[in-house]
Amino acid sequence: QLQLVESGGGLVQPGGSLRLSCAASGSSVDYYVIGWFRQAPGKGREGVSCISSSGDSTMYRDSVKGRFTISRDNAKNTVYLQMNSLKPEDTAVYYCAAGAGGLAHELYDYWGQGTQVTVSS
């Protein structure tokens, strides 16, 4: 059974950066698309970015393009989300998930517990 654990969240000022990590255990992530999702208070879960199993294809929601970068290291069974130029509207609980791909959460089968990202001065 694949298990995912996110880390790297925290409090950062607007314009700052954070790098989230998604560490997998129990199974290899080599065969899965890995996605990052977020959920702000009172809002639905939205897809932020995803990366193909090989790492050669990525997808981003429009609001994070040019600011966020997703990458993966299959040797370390880990996927990263580098977040730069953070804005208050990026504040949310961030989740990583493994599944079939795309930015729709219904397509993902395995989920981490989430890590809080708060962007505030």
Side-chain angles (χ1 to χ4, degrees), residues 21-34:
S21 297
C22 173
S25 63
S27 180
S28 172
V29 292
D30 291 11
Y31 307 109
Y32 293 97
V33 173
I34 302 296

Side-chain angles (χ1 to χ4, degrees), residues 6 8-12 18 20 36-48 61 63-64 68 81 83 86-96 113-120:
E6 303 93 338
L11 173 64
V12 63
L18 284 174
L20 305 184
W36 283 98
F37 296 80
R38 65 187 182 188
Q39 188 164 15
K43 295 187 177 182
R45 190 167 297 190
E46 61 183 24
V48 175
R61 70 180 299 108
S63 61
V64 307
F68 290 11
L81 185 68
M83 305 187 297
L86 282 161
K87 304 176 181 180
E89 52 263 43
D90 294 318
T91 296
V93 178
Y94 283 71
Y95 302 87
C96 66
Q113 84 291 346
T115 185
Q116 176 71 47
V117 171
T118 303
V119 185
S120 175

